Amino acid sequence: FTAGQYVMVDIPQANTDTVTRLYSLYSPEYQKRYVELLIHTIPNGLASVYFTQIEEGAPISFRGPAGKFILQSEERDKIFLATGTGIAPIKSMIYSFFHRHAYTLFDIKPPCIQLLWGVKTMKAAYMKNELIALQNLYKNFSFTICLSREKNSVFVEDNEKEKELSCLKRGRIIDHFSAKKISSHIEYYIC
C-alpha cells in the first residue's frame, strides 16, 4: 500500500449480512509483516462492538488498499492538520517519508514537516512521546498538539516538564493555524 490509503473492513452482523467500514492504515508502508488500524470505539457502534469483542488471532476480512490521500511530492514542505483518529493516515505518511529519506542527502535543505493534531484532552494525546522522539530524531519535523477541552492544570509551569509540555497548546487547530500563513510552496494535508 501507499501511506495514506485505507482498507474496507467487513463487519459481520448477526443476520449473516456484513457491513463495511473504512479505516485508514495507521502503519507505515515499509511495515510488511502486519497492518495497523486506529479505531475509535463508540458505545453500541456496529464496528465498535465487533472490534471490542473479537478475540486475538481471529481472522478479519478486508479489501484494499484504496484511496488517493497520499503524499504528492517528496521535495516540498508539508503541513499536516489532523483531529482525532484523522492522525492515522498522516502518521503513516510522516513515518514512511522519514523512512524513505533516512539516509538521503538532499541537495538542498530537506523539506520541513509540520503537524498540528487536535484532540480533546491530554489523555487522548497518546502519541505525544512518540512525536517528541520523532522531533528529536529529525530536526525538520515539528508538531503541536491542540487540546480543545483540557483543564488548566495540564499547563501549570514546571521547569522539569516545560520541554515535554511545550508541544501542547490549549484550543483547537484553527486557533494555532492561520490562513495568512498559507503558501503555494507548501503542501497541506487535512484529515
Side-chain angles (χ1 to χ4, degrees), residues 95-151:
Y95 275 68
S96 297
F97 176 86
F98 283 126
H99 184 263
R100 281 193 301 278
H101 297 290
Y103 303 105
T104 301
L105 297 174
F106 285 91
D107 293 334
I108 54 174
K109 77 175 188 75
C112 291
I113 309 290
Q114 182 181 3
L115 168 66
L116 282 91
W117 180 31
V119 294
K120 293 177 183 177
T121 63
M122 178 70 164
K123 185 178 179 182
Y126 48 85
M127 284 185 56
K128 180 177 69 72
N129 292 337
E130 189 177 336
L131 292 171
I132 289 171
L134 194 65
Q135 183 173 265
N136 290 337
L137 191 59
Y138 298 103
K139 300 306 175 200
N140 58 325
F141 174 70
S142 64
F143 75 98
T144 300
I145 299 175
C146 303
L147 305 173
S148 63
R149 296 186 186 169
E150 187 59 70
K151 304 285 186 243

Side-chain angles (χ1 to χ4, degrees), residues 71-80 97 111-115 186-189:
L71 291 182
Q72 298 301 303
S73 80
E74 298 288 314
E75 300 82 23
R76 294 173 67 189
D77 291 346
K78 294 159 186 23
I79 295 179
F80 295 94
F97 176 86
C112 291
I113 309 290
Q114 182 181 3
L115 168 66
I186 299 173
E187 292 180 347
Y188 299 87
Y189 297 85

Side-chain angles (χ1 to χ4, degrees), residues 8-24:
M8 295 155 277
V9 179
D10 294 326
I11 310 297
Q13 299 300 297
N15 63 3
T16 69
D17 291 337
T18 59
V19 175
T20 301
R21 294 290 185 264
L22 309 180
Y23 291 97
S24 295

